[in-house]
Amino acid sequence: SAVISQKPSRDICQRGTSLTIQCQVDSQVTMMFWYRQQPGQSLTLIATANQGSEATYESGFVIDKFPISRPNLTFSTLTVSNMSPEDSSIYLCSVPAVTEAFFGQGTRLTVV
Amino acid sequence: SQQGEEDPQALSIQEGENATMNCSYKTSINNLQWYRQNSGRGLVHLILIRSNEREKHSGRLRVTLDTSKKSSSLLITASRAADTASYFCATAPGGSEKLVFGKGTKLTVNP
């Protein structure tokens, strides 16, 4: 199993600013995923954070808006840049395992 | 894009009743997983059913899978107020480790 510590748990931010979300895993993992969950919706994959290489973004998500760092095998950050109210969502990091995925507790972001 | 479609989107029942949630998906799969999310927090894995399995049990959970119909159901028996949460099915198309989630069912169990 994997235990993921995600920070912050929630934040209220002004539009036009940026927020960096951190995820720390208690073991080394090859891949980490970042998801967005808009209000009342399901999870949508933003990108795969690869250690030692650029993140791989899903359709509709771009690096300029959601830059990702992966400096080592236990840590990753997702930045939500130049925020607008439409970015208000829960953001979750996740690591896959053989039969299940493990998730951080989520960051509830409100942009005002 | 959403792989799965869950129904119902919302379900309200009394404690002790059974809750059934359904999920449909679009592509071929190796397995299908169900997750639970409390109040918009992190997801917790409940159960995995492989494509060659038709039914699986875990405690009060019963999952079925019909690959010919590309559908799955999650049954929670003898529900409790603590079961109140959102439930999502998830698949990994093409054997990828990326999960694609259904829209989810919001379950409310009234004491």
Side-chain angles (χ1 to χ4, degrees), chain A residues 5 7 16 24 32-33 42 59 65 71 78 84-85 93 95 98 104:
Chain A
S5 174
K7 299 179 186 179
Q24 177 76 50
M32 291 179 71
F33 299 116
S42 186
S59 175
K65 178 66 177 178
L78 169 77
S84 67
C93 60
V95 299
V98 176

Side-chain angles (χ1 to χ4, degrees), chain B residues 21-38:
Chain B
M21 290 160 269
N22 302 297
C23 165
S24 62
Y25 57 93
K26 297 176 183 175
T27 63
S28 63
I29 58 171
N30 294 329
N31 62 67
L32 183 143
Q33 303 175 42
W34 284 90
Y35 288 83
R36 166 189 167 133
Q37 183 181 38
N38 291 342

